[in-house]
């Protein structure tokens, strides 16, 4: 009995240690910040780099036109993985010429062998490929009508009239219009439900919390942008002004109403705590209003 209790005691201690370790890792993931930096420039050439650091782990991403995307992983400052591989050594030109001439000689030999050998007999309506040509020819043993079949002949003479085509198009448009009106009516009924409105308010609140958490804490950026139509440039400037609370203080925007251009540079850094983001999302997920809204949305 004493041995059995000792085994249970040791087993309980091991289980508690495992649970404690899992809880510690979960708390670290939720409340230890992920720090990120993003930089890039686009003038004559495009170049970008980013890094994410969490505890002793760091992920680096770099992009250049010559190498493309390059990923690196470091642990305690020691590189343990890199996607930047050295290019394969190119073969000398002489070896390439030898390989090409050898392959051409082999192809010519195979063609010569086909010419000297027996040709397949032409029977029925089989397709025959001649060595000297890539055209497909039919045998004359069967009449042309049987080879073509009856479906193709019907397609040549029994074409739908223009009136039938117009009627089909009008019917499709009317059907699509009726389906759209039904969808809009269901959407209006969906949005009028009180629990749907409460869910939308919670989602808006969660988005504000998430955007405030992931926004850069510091940085500096410059953007010189002009579209083909000056009116489109003005609309874009107005849209960016709506997010001034998100980018103010580190981004300088210079609109250009005379020509089409896009250039600039960007260097920002910040931190993200997953626990702050997970809080509003968990609150939405455990609410009854969300699941009632989800079930109703599937029926639209």
């Amino acid at each position: 009995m004493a041995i059995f209790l000792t085994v249970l005691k040791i087993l309980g201690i091991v289980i508690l240690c495992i649970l404690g370790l899992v809880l510690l890792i979960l708390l670290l993931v939720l409340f230890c910040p992920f720090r990120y930096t993003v930089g890039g420039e686009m003038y004559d050439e495009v170049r970008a780099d980013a890094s994410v650091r969490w505890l002793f782990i760091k992920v680096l991403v770099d992009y250049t036109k010559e190498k493309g995307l390059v990923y690196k992983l470091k642990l305690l400052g020691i590189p343990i993985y890199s996607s930047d591989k050295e290019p394969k050594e190119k073969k000398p030109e002489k070896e390439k010429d030898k390989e090409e001439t050898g392959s051409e000689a082999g192809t010519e030999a195979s063609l010569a062998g086909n010419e000297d050998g027996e040709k397949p007999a032409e029977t029925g309506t089989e397709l025959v490929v001649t060595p000297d040509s890539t055209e497909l020819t039919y045998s004359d043993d069967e009449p042309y009508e049987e080879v073509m079949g009856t479906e193709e002949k019907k397609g040549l003479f029994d074409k739908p009239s223009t009136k039938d085509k117009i009627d089909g198009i009008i019917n499709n448009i009317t059907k699509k219009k009726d389906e759209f009106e039904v969808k809009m009516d269901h959407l209006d009924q969906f949005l009028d439900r009180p629990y749907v409105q409460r869910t939308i308010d919670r989602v808006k609140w969660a988005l504000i919390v998430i955007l405030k958490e992931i926004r850069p804490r510091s940085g500096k950026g410059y953007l010189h942008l002009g579209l083909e139509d000056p009116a489109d440039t003005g609309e874009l400037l107005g849209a960016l002004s709506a997010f001034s609370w998100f980018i103010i203080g580190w981004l300088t925007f210079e609109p250009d109403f005379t020509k089409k251009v896009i250039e600039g540079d960007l260097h920002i850094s910040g931190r993200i705590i997953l626990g702050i983001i997970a809080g509003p999302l968990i609150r939405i997920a455990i609410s009854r209003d969300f699941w009632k809204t989800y079930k109703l949305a599937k029926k639209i």
Side-chain angles (χ1 to χ4, degrees):
M1 187 67 179
I3 297 176
F4 179 70
L5 293 176
T6 304
V7 172
L8 288 179
K9 181 179 178 181
I10 295 173
L11 185 61
I13 293 173
V14 171
I15 292 174
L16 288 176
C17 291
I18 294 174
L19 291 176
L21 182 61
V22 172
L23 180 61
L24 177 62
I25 294 174
L26 181 62
L27 292 175
L28 287 175
V29 171
L30 289 177
F31 298 105
C32 185
F34 290 77
R35 303 188 181 276
Y36 67 88
T37 59
V38 178
E41 58 184 26
M42 182 170 58
Y43 291 102
D44 295 334
E45 296 181 356
V46 178
R47 180 184 173 278
D49 60 84
S51 67
V52 178
R53 180 167 56 87
W54 179 73
L55 291 178
F56 311 111
I57 303 172
K58 189 173 185 180
V59 180
L60 302 170
V61 181
D62 186 73
Y63 173 80
T64 56
K65 187 176 180 180
E66 293 79 12
K67 296 184 178 181
L69 282 175
V70 177
Y71 305 91
K72 295 181 180 179
L73 178 63
K74 293 184 177 181
L75 180 63
L76 295 173
I78 302 172
I80 60 176
Y81 174 77
S82 177
S83 63
D84 187 11
K85 298 180 180 179
E86 296 181 358
K88 296 181 179 179
E89 296 182 357
K90 296 183 178 180
K91 295 182 179 180
E93 295 294 333
K94 293 182 179 180
E95 293 184 3
K96 284 186 177 180
D97 295 339
K98 289 181 181 179
E99 292 180 358
E100 292 176 357
T101 53
S103 61
E104 290 177 358
T107 305
E108 292 177 357
S110 62
L111 291 175
N114 291 334
E115 291 177 357
D116 296 337
E118 295 181 358
K119 296 183 179 180
E122 299 179 358
T123 58
T125 58
E126 289 186 356
L127 297 178
V128 180
V129 182
T130 59
D132 298 331
S133 173
T134 58
E135 295 181 356
L136 300 179
T137 59
Y138 285 95
S139 174
D140 295 334
D141 295 342
E142 297 294 336
Y144 178 76
E145 289 78 5
E146 294 184 5
V147 175
M148 295 298 294
T150 58
E151 295 182 358
E152 188 172 347
K153 290 192 295 181
K154 288 183 179 180
L156 293 175
F157 301 102
D158 299 339
K159 293 183 179 179
S161 62
T162 305
K163 182 178 180 301
D164 294 337
K165 290 182 179 180
I166 295 174
D167 292 340
I169 294 173
I170 293 174
N171 291 334
N172 288 333
I173 294 174
T174 305
K175 184 179 178 181
K176 293 292 184 183
K177 178 177 173 295
D178 295 338
E179 291 177 355
F180 178 74
E181 290 178 352
V182 171
K183 290 285 186 183
M184 292 303 297
D185 183 56
H186 289 173
L187 182 61
D188 291 338
Q189 296 179 18
F190 173 77
L191 295 175
D192 288 339
R193 304 295 175 92
Y195 57 85
V196 174
Q197 292 293 332
R198 291 194 294 268
T199 301
I200 293 174
D201 292 338
R202 289 193 181 99
V203 171
K204 289 180 180 179
W205 168 73
L207 287 176
I208 293 174
V209 173
I210 292 172
L211 287 176
K212 285 184 177 180
E213 177 60 25
I214 68 175
R215 67 184 176 89
R217 306 294 171 173
S218 62
K220 184 178 180 182
Y222 167 75
L223 179 61
H224 180 204
L225 179 63
L227 303 178
E228 293 182 356
D229 190 352
D232 294 337
T233 305
E235 291 180 1
L236 180 61
L237 181 61
L240 288 176
S241 64
F243 294 92
S244 59
W245 61 274
F246 187 78
I247 61 179
I248 193 169
W250 56 267
L251 179 63
T252 302
F253 180 64
E254 180 183 349
D256 195 323
F257 297 95
T258 60
K259 60 182 178 180
K260 181 180 179 181
V261 61
I262 177 169
E263 59 183 11
D265 55 76
L266 178 69
H267 300 279
I268 59 176
S269 61
R271 60 113 176 101
I272 299 174
I273 298 177
L274 295 182
I276 297 177
I277 297 176
L281 297 179
I282 293 174
R283 182 178 175 182
I284 293 173
I286 63 176
S287 65
R288 293 182 59 188
D289 293 338
F290 171 76
W291 292 108
K292 290 171 65 177
T293 302
Y294 175 73
K295 291 179 181 178
L296 185 61
K298 290 175 66 177
K299 298 179 181 179
I300 296 180

